[in-house]
Amino acid sequence: MSTRMLLQLLATLLVLPYLFPIVVMLQGALSGRGWGNFRAVLAIDAVPTFFKSSAIIAACTIVIVWALTMAAAFGFAKLPVRGKEVYFWLMVVALTLPEVVLLTPLFATTVHIGLYDTYGAVILPLAAVQLPFTVLLARNYVAGIPDQLFEAARVDGAGALAAFRYIVLPMTRPIAAAIVVLVLINSWNDYLLPLVMLQDPAKQTVTLLPQYFVSQFSNDQTKVLASAVITAVPEIVAYLCLQRLFERGLAAGALK
């Protein structure tokens, strides 16, 4: 058996554990009334509001994480910042803190500063939780940019801001695409923060949509699964659109 066939077999075996739940979810969503389950979910008046809230939270989180990640990666990788290695590893330590551990202090802080029941109460913690990992990826990618480019820019009179704009941003599009996809998935799928931080029904997100079909007296699993499939569509579309850049950026950010 050739090496290529062995790799294909290994890839298939690795995919199967992830593919099986998806197949089960689709089968459950189409059982009973079939496509009528999807129509029943989309007929709920709150669905457009849920998607709007999730889109606002995801878009704002992506912008914040992308801007801060690129700036921090440039500083950690290329700028002569005093003690930057200490700051970097202190930030990496934050990767060990799960979101649920931070929930109580985050809730108390948002109430104290008046952000409770606003989009900011979800967006800012979501961005903060994801920044350590995205900076870790982007720093490795930016470190792989040749120093000669920055030296040539300095000879031409360009400062750090110009180098960031004309060298770093154009050359980091693959890792930026990977960051966009990762942040979109994490912010779109987040359940805990919207549940705790948002009280107004008009600000609820799509992750709370399945609750419409689960109550004390009913538990319609077909519509729960149909709503799960519907909420996953934007993420799938985003990944397919950015697939090449995502894979290039993720691989380069992990290996450089």
Side-chain angles (χ1 to χ4, degrees), residues 35-246:
W35 293 104
N37 295 324
F38 293 93
R39 289 192 290 269
V41 173
L42 294 174
I44 297 176
D45 294 335
V47 168
T49 302
F50 285 168
F51 272 87
K52 172 189 166 186
S53 297
S54 290
I56 292 173
I57 291 172
C60 292
T61 305
I62 288 170
V63 171
I64 293 172
V65 172
W66 173 81
L68 295 180
T69 296
M70 291 297 104
F74 178 49
F76 283 129
K78 297 298 181 182
L79 295 183
V81 180
R82 189 175 182 181
K84 64 180 180 181
E85 289 298 322
V86 176
Y87 298 137
F88 176 75
W89 289 109
L90 285 174
M91 182 195 65
V92 171
V93 170
L95 287 171
T96 63
L97 298 175
E99 183 180 310
V100 67
V101 173
L102 303 173
L103 193 59
T104 300
L106 283 174
F107 180 81
T109 302
T110 54
V111 171
H112 180 70
I113 63 179
L115 279 179
Y116 180 70
D117 201 24
T118 65
Y119 289 133
V122 178
I123 293 169
L124 295 179
L126 270 177
V129 167
Q130 297 179 76
L131 271 170
F133 180 67
T134 57
V135 171
L136 178 63
L137 283 179
R139 174 184 180 258
N140 292 339
Y141 195 96
V142 175
I145 300 176
D147 292 333
Q148 291 83 353
L149 292 176
F150 297 97
E151 293 172 2
R154 281 194 290 271
V155 170
D156 290 339
L161 186 59
F164 177 73
R165 179 179 178 182
Y166 294 108
I167 297 176
V168 175
L169 292 184
M171 297 189 69
T172 55
R173 288 175 183 171
I175 196 65
I179 289 170
V180 167
V181 174
L182 290 173
V183 175
L184 171 63
I185 292 173
N186 291 331
S187 57
W188 190 271
N189 288 338
D190 192 75
Y191 175 80
L192 195 57
L193 282 173
L195 179 66
V196 174
M197 300 296 187
L198 299 177
Q199 188 177 17
D200 187 355
K203 296 175 183 175
Q204 298 294 342
T205 60
V206 291
T207 52
L208 302 178
L209 181 58
Q211 291 186 354
Y212 270 72
F213 307 103
V214 179
S215 66
Q216 183 179 356
F217 305 103
S218 65
N219 187 4
D220 194 340
Q221 287 298 310
T222 58
K223 293 185 179 62
V224 169
L225 293 173
S227 62
V229 173
I230 290 172
T231 57
V233 169
E235 302 166 274
I236 296 172
V237 172
Y239 174 76
L240 292 176
C241 292
L242 299 172
Q243 181 179 5
R244 288 188 178 181
L245 289 175
F246 174 79

